[in-house]
Amino acid sequence: MRGDGRRDWSDHYWWSLDGVRLHARVYAGPADAADAPPILCLPGLARNARDFEQLAPHLAQYRRVVAVEFRGRGESAYAKDPMTYVPLTYVQDVIALLDDLKVDRFATVGTSLGGLVSMLLAATQPGRLVGAVLNDVGPELELAGLERIRDYIGSGGSQPTWIHAARAVSELNGAVYPGYEIHDWLRLTKRTHRLTAEGRIVTDYDKQIAAPLRVPNGGDAGIDLWPAYRALDGIPLLVLRGELSDILARGAAEKMAAELPRARLAEVPGVGHAPTMDEAEAVAAIDGWLAELSAT
């Protein structure tokens, strides 16, 4: 661990079972919650710990927070074998982190891929997960949205300035965040991109994360995720959905809420896949989840 007086988090590095050096940001949380289960923030497919740069300090008012960077993203090393860029490997990596931090019980806030990892953790680590937020993801996913993501993941080049990069991001995601202005796109771009040594702006992930998505019959079709979702039964569960989402249909989200007695559904207006969880409606819903989590 190493801290920096200019920031409110510390770096933590650990090793995967197959020798990949991985990274997370750790927010210490209040002293009186030191023994409480921490909250793991798990990002989406092409995202990293910066996705939670606003939410994590908010959560850290109540619990220790660990913002994970999956292999191939942010400061986590790239995998030698691109076929390890799959949810079950990410689950193994998170379990290695929990062991490294000596954490037995924990909660999760997972966006998209991070929510899938949360469900798989619940299914494979019974009794360890004490609460979960699933951000715009569930056991039923819309094929049109998945195809949209497959079309752009791993593609694209570099941009000369942050403004150029932000405009490129806005062209790709305008339908996801129709109310965004240029300063919003800049904020999103700086979360998802990095500056190279050559002074170019590029996406902050290994483009090979797309490799498993392009294997014939190797995607999501035919996989029943409902058993993994039902493993969340009995714990505080918040299902967040973007009003315009093309990944999590409203009907599927309502079915999720009806399936488990402690599940609660909240919709974030005016955004698609996925809410950033900076939105006031998302924060309010998460605060309600936190209150229920603290009572468990």
Side-chain angles (χ1 to χ4, degrees), residues 11-233:
D11 291 306
H12 184 83
Y13 294 92
W14 80 102
W15 293 92
S16 71
L17 297 179
D18 59 341
V20 180
R21 189 173 186 247
L22 303 170
H23 172 259
R25 292 181 174 185
V26 178
Y27 297 76
D32 59 2
D35 296 327
I39 298 172
L40 268 59
C41 292
L42 306 175
L45 178 64
R47 312 299 274 267
N48 57 68
R50 297 194 300 279
D51 249 16
F52 304 99
E53 63 185 8
Q54 184 167 323
L55 180 64
H58 178 75
L59 297 174
Q61 296 177 87
Y62 310 98
R63 297 285 181 101
R64 179 164 56 135
V65 175
V66 183
V68 175
E69 292 187 318
F70 294 132
R71 57 177 59 205
R73 286 84 163 173
E75 291 190 43
S76 286
Y78 291 7
K80 292 181 180 178
D81 180 3
M83 299 313 293
T84 63
Y85 290 131
V86 293
L88 286 176
T89 305
Y90 304 139
V91 169
Q92 293 172 353
D93 292 346
V94 171
I95 293 171
L97 170 63
L98 294 169
D99 292 344
D100 196 57
L101 293 174
K102 297 178 172 56
V103 168
D104 182 32
R105 300 168 73 239
F106 59 97
T108 60
V109 175
T111 294
S112 196
L113 169 63
L116 296 178
V117 171
S118 295
M119 290 190 290
L120 293 171
L121 284 166
T124 60
Q125 303 289 303
R128 297 187 72 178
L129 196 61
V130 301
V133 175
L134 301 182
N135 183 23
D136 214 59
V137 71
E140 293 182 11
L141 305 176
E142 295 296 294
L143 292 179
L146 293 173
E147 287 300 323
R148 176 181 63 82
I149 291 171
R150 286 192 183 99
D151 284 346
Y152 74 78
I153 287 295
S155 63
S158 64
Q159 298 291 337
T161 70
W162 285 108
I163 287 291
H164 284 85
R167 294 203 182 280
V169 170
S170 71
E171 290 173 5
L172 187 64
N173 295 282
V176 177
Y177 306 109
Y180 271 23
E181 303 291 344
I182 187 60
H183 63 276
D184 300 304
W185 292 116
L186 274 170
R187 183 181 69 251
L188 180 63
T189 302
K190 290 190 175 182
R191 289 181 177 181
T192 58
H193 289 62
R194 63 180 174 87
L195 179 66
T196 69
E198 296 74 30
R200 304 288 293 189
I201 312 298
V202 298
T203 50
D204 196 7
Y205 64 82
D206 181 1
K207 293 188 186 309
Q208 288 300 309
I209 66 171
L213 301 177
R214 295 179 178 142
V215 175
N217 300 318
D220 334 272
I223 299 175
D224 183 5
L225 291 172
W226 278 103
Y229 176 74
R230 294 186 185 105
L232 299 167
D233 191 16

